[in-house]
Amino acid sequence: MSVLEAEIRAPLLVRGVSGCTLTDLGHSLLKSCEQIESALTEVRDLASATPRERELSGLVRISTTDAFGTAFVLPLMAELHRTNPDLMVEIITQTRLGAYGIGADIEIGVGEPAVGRPGAEKLTDYRLGLYASGDYLSERGVPQRLAELADHSLVYYIEGLLRAEELDVLTRLTGHRQVTFG
């Protein structure tokens, strides 16, 4: 980035101890830079002499929630790696997108980012629910009221690591968090 900044004689990033953020000029150039990168990638792929040269390689780092990562990201990355053996994938788990990112190429989080993030877009809405196995319900019974949850073992996020208010439903529902497994 410093080469581009030197070429245009203006800062594109503000560098801080917690990471980097785009300047106004950086924001205005982002879409054009992405188009240039895409065009160069297309030219490289078309000019490749063999399919081997078109394979993906290098490191991609993905930050995602535990559940989404396990259910969706990991199977897709495993398949992508099977067809691109030189591709290395690192998965980092976190709940919410941080203000400055954590150096991941792709970040998937819950809720709105702490601050505006270039390129961030909503993937989907989702709902939380209470689930139990048939054996557990046969043994412990089905709670009929919120107060009855106090008599049940709950599996949920670790309170000290919960970074998204949208997920703090146990406190809102029961007034306290009684998590047996976190």
Side-chain angles (χ1 to χ4, degrees), residues 31-44:
K31 186 172 183 177
S32 296
C33 289
E34 288 172 340
Q35 289 172 340
I36 291 168
E37 179 185 28
S38 177
L40 289 172
T41 300
E42 184 179 349
V43 167
R44 186 194 70 225

PDB file of all heavy atoms in Angstrom, residues 31-44:
ATOM      1  N   LYS A  31     -13.183   0.544  -4.629  1.00  0.00           N
ATOM      2  CA  LYS A  31     -13.887  -0.180  -5.694  1.00  0.00           C
ATOM      3  C   LYS A  31     -13.020  -0.268  -6.952  1.00  0.00           C
ATOM      4  O   LYS A  31     -12.922  -1.337  -7.572  1.00  0.00           O
ATOM      5  CB  LYS A  31     -15.224   0.491  -6.020  1.00  0.00           C
ATOM      6  CG  LYS A  31     -16.045  -0.298  -7.017  1.00  0.00           C
ATOM      7  CD  LYS A  31     -17.433   0.283  -7.181  1.00  0.00           C
ATOM      8  CE  LYS A  31     -18.223  -0.584  -8.136  1.00  0.00           C
ATOM      9  NZ  LYS A  31     -19.588  -0.138  -8.294  1.00  0.00           N
ATOM     10  N   SER A  32     -12.356   0.802  -7.313  1.00  0.00           N
ATOM     11  CA  SER A  32     -11.482   0.788  -8.498  1.00  0.00           C
ATOM     12  C   SER A  32     -10.325  -0.191  -8.312  1.00  0.00           C
ATOM     13  O   SER A  32      -9.979  -0.939  -9.230  1.00  0.00           O
ATOM     14  CB  SER A  32     -10.928   2.192  -8.767  1.00  0.00           C
ATOM     15  OG  SER A  32     -11.974   3.068  -9.088  1.00  0.00           O
ATOM     16  N   CYS A  33      -9.746  -0.198  -7.139  1.00  0.00           N
ATOM     17  CA  CYS A  33      -8.634  -1.128  -6.865  1.00  0.00           C
ATOM     18  C   CYS A  33      -9.109  -2.582  -6.925  1.00  0.00           C
ATOM     19  O   CYS A  33      -8.400  -3.449  -7.443  1.00  0.00           O
ATOM     20  CB  CYS A  33      -8.013  -0.824  -5.505  1.00  0.00           C
ATOM     21  SG  CYS A  33      -7.084   0.725  -5.470  1.00  0.00           S
ATOM     22  N   GLU A  34     -10.302  -2.848  -6.411  1.00  0.00           N
ATOM     23  CA  GLU A  34     -10.847  -4.209  -6.483  1.00  0.00           C
ATOM     24  C   GLU A  34     -11.088  -4.618  -7.930  1.00  0.00           C
ATOM     25  O   GLU A  34     -10.863  -5.763  -8.308  1.00  0.00           O
ATOM     26  CB  GLU A  34     -12.134  -4.304  -5.665  1.00  0.00           C
ATOM     27  CG  GLU A  34     -11.888  -4.258  -4.169  1.00  0.00           C
ATOM     28  CD  GLU A  34     -13.162  -4.166  -3.353  1.00  0.00           C
ATOM     29  OE1 GLU A  34     -14.224  -3.770  -3.901  1.00  0.00           O
ATOM     30  OE2 GLU A  34     -13.107  -4.482  -2.145  1.00  0.00           O
ATOM     31  N   GLN A  35     -11.548  -3.692  -8.760  1.00  0.00           N
ATOM     32  CA  GLN A  35     -11.766  -3.997 -10.183  1.00  0.00           C
ATOM     33  C   GLN A  35     -10.441  -4.280 -10.881  1.00  0.00           C
ATOM     34  O   GLN A  35     -10.350  -5.191 -11.711  1.00  0.00           O
ATOM     35  CB  GLN A  35     -12.495  -2.836 -10.864  1.00  0.00           C
ATOM     36  CG  GLN A  35     -13.937  -2.706 -10.438  1.00  0.00           C
ATOM     37  CD  GLN A  35     -14.605  -1.439 -10.965  1.00  0.00           C
ATOM     38  OE1 GLN A  35     -13.931  -0.481 -11.325  1.00  0.00           O
ATOM     39  NE2 GLN A  35     -15.932  -1.442 -10.995  1.00  0.00           N
ATOM     40  N   ILE A  36      -9.409  -3.512 -10.552  1.00  0.00           N
ATOM     41  CA  ILE A  36      -8.082  -3.747 -11.135  1.00  0.00           C
ATOM     42  C   ILE A  36      -7.570  -5.125 -10.723  1.00  0.00           C
ATOM     43  O   ILE A  36      -7.075  -5.891 -11.561  1.00  0.00           O
ATOM     44  CB  ILE A  36      -7.093  -2.643 -10.701  1.00  0.00           C
ATOM     45  CG1 ILE A  36      -7.482  -1.319 -11.354  1.00  0.00           C
ATOM     46  CG2 ILE A  36      -5.652  -3.031 -11.030  1.00  0.00           C
ATOM     47  CD1 ILE A  36      -6.752  -0.116 -10.771  1.00  0.00           C
ATOM     48  N   GLU A  37      -7.703  -5.464  -9.447  1.00  0.00           N
ATOM     49  CA  GLU A  37      -7.252  -6.764  -8.970  1.00  0.00           C
ATOM     50  C   GLU A  37      -8.000  -7.887  -9.682  1.00  0.00           C
ATOM     51  O   GLU A  37      -7.402  -8.879 -10.109  1.00  0.00           O
ATOM     52  CB  GLU A  37      -7.454  -6.884  -7.461  1.00  0.00           C
ATOM     53  CG  GLU A  37      -7.016  -8.234  -6.906  1.00  0.00           C
ATOM     54  CD  GLU A  37      -7.328  -8.381  -5.431  1.00  0.00           C
ATOM     55  OE1 GLU A  37      -8.292  -7.748  -4.943  1.00  0.00           O
ATOM     56  OE2 GLU A  37      -6.616  -9.154  -4.786  1.00  0.00           O
ATOM     57  N   SER A  38      -9.297  -7.739  -9.832  1.00  0.00           N
ATOM     58  CA  SER A  38     -10.101  -8.752 -10.507  1.00  0.00           C
ATOM     59  C   SER A  38      -9.667  -8.911 -11.963  1.00  0.00           C
ATOM     60  O   SER A  38      -9.539 -10.038 -12.463  1.00  0.00           O
ATOM     61  CB  SER A  38     -11.582  -8.365 -10.429  1.00  0.00           C
ATOM     62  OG  SER A  38     -12.374  -9.283 -11.123  1.00  0.00           O
ATOM     63  N   ALA A  39      -9.432  -7.789 -12.641  1.00  0.00           N
ATOM     64  CA  ALA A  39      -9.004  -7.844 -14.046  1.00  0.00           C
ATOM     65  C   ALA A  39      -7.639  -8.512 -14.169  1.00  0.00           C
ATOM     66  O   ALA A  39      -7.421  -9.343 -15.064  1.00  0.00           O
ATOM     67  CB  ALA A  39      -8.969  -6.441 -14.641  1.00  0.00           C
ATOM     68  N   LEU A  40      -6.714  -8.189 -13.279  1.00  0.00           N
ATOM     69  CA  LEU A  40      -5.386  -8.815 -13.321  1.00  0.00           C
ATOM     70  C   LEU A  40      -5.467 -10.319 -13.050  1.00  0.00           C
ATOM     71  O   LEU A  40      -4.771 -11.109 -13.683  1.00  0.00           O
ATOM     72  CB  LEU A  40      -4.447  -8.141 -12.323  1.00  0.00           C
ATOM     73  CG  LEU A  40      -4.004  -6.721 -12.684  1.00  0.00           C
ATOM     74  CD1 LEU A  40      -3.234  -6.093 -11.527  1.00  0.00           C
ATOM     75  CD2 LEU A  40      -3.174  -6.727 -13.957  1.00  0.00           C
ATOM     76  N   THR A  41      -6.312 -10.715 -12.137  1.00  0.00           N
ATOM     77  CA  THR A  41      -6.512 -12.135 -11.853  1.00  0.00           C
ATOM     78  C   THR A  41      -7.070 -12.852 -13.071  1.00  0.00           C
ATOM     79  O   THR A  41      -6.625 -13.945 -13.431  1.00  0.00           O
ATOM     80  CB  THR A  41      -7.454 -12.321 -10.644  1.00  0.00           C
ATOM     81  OG1 THR A  41      -6.866 -11.690  -9.511  1.00  0.00           O
ATOM     82  CG2 THR A  41      -7.709 -13.789 -10.355  1.00  0.00           C
ATOM     83  N   GLU A  42      -8.042 -12.225 -13.736  1.00  0.00           N
ATOM     84  CA  GLU A  42      -8.624 -12.820 -14.944  1.00  0.00           C
ATOM     85  C   GLU A  42      -7.576 -12.963 -16.044  1.00  0.00           C
ATOM     86  O   GLU A  42      -7.492 -14.010 -16.697  1.00  0.00           O
ATOM     87  CB  GLU A  42      -9.802 -11.974 -15.436  1.00  0.00           C
ATOM     88  CG  GLU A  42     -10.514 -12.590 -16.630  1.00  0.00           C
ATOM     89  CD  GLU A  42     -11.697 -11.749 -17.079  1.00  0.00           C
ATOM     90  OE1 GLU A  42     -12.096 -10.817 -16.366  1.00  0.00           O
ATOM     91  OE2 GLU A  42     -12.216 -12.047 -18.167  1.00  0.00           O
ATOM     92  N   VAL A  43      -6.758 -11.940 -16.240  1.00  0.00           N
ATOM     93  CA  VAL A  43      -5.698 -12.003 -17.258  1.00  0.00           C
ATOM     94  C   VAL A  43      -4.721 -13.122 -16.924  1.00  0.00           C
ATOM     95  O   VAL A  43      -4.343 -13.919 -17.792  1.00  0.00           O
ATOM     96  CB  VAL A  43      -4.966 -10.642 -17.369  1.00  0.00           C
ATOM     97  CG1 VAL A  43      -3.674 -10.769 -18.169  1.00  0.00           C
ATOM     98  CG2 VAL A  43      -5.885  -9.602 -17.980  1.00  0.00           C
ATOM     99  N   ARG A  44      -4.314 -13.215 -15.659  1.00  0.00           N
ATOM    100  CA  ARG A  44      -3.388 -14.272 -15.251  1.00  0.00           C
ATOM    101  C   ARG A  44      -3.986 -15.652 -15.509  1.00  0.00           C
ATOM    102  O   ARG A  44      -3.332 -16.542 -16.027  1.00  0.00           O
ATOM    103  CB  ARG A  44      -3.013 -14.128 -13.777  1.00  0.00           C
ATOM    104  CG  ARG A  44      -1.926 -15.130 -13.349  1.00  0.00           C
ATOM    105  CD  ARG A  44      -1.772 -15.251 -11.845  1.00  0.00           C
ATOM    106  NE  ARG A  44      -2.961 -15.911 -11.328  1.00  0.00           N
ATOM    107  CZ  ARG A  44      -3.628 -15.524 -10.253  1.00  0.00           C
ATOM    108  NH1 ARG A  44      -3.239 -14.474  -9.581  1.00  0.00           N
ATOM    109  NH2 ARG A  44      -4.689 -16.170  -9.849  1.00  0.00           N
TER     110      ARG A  44
END
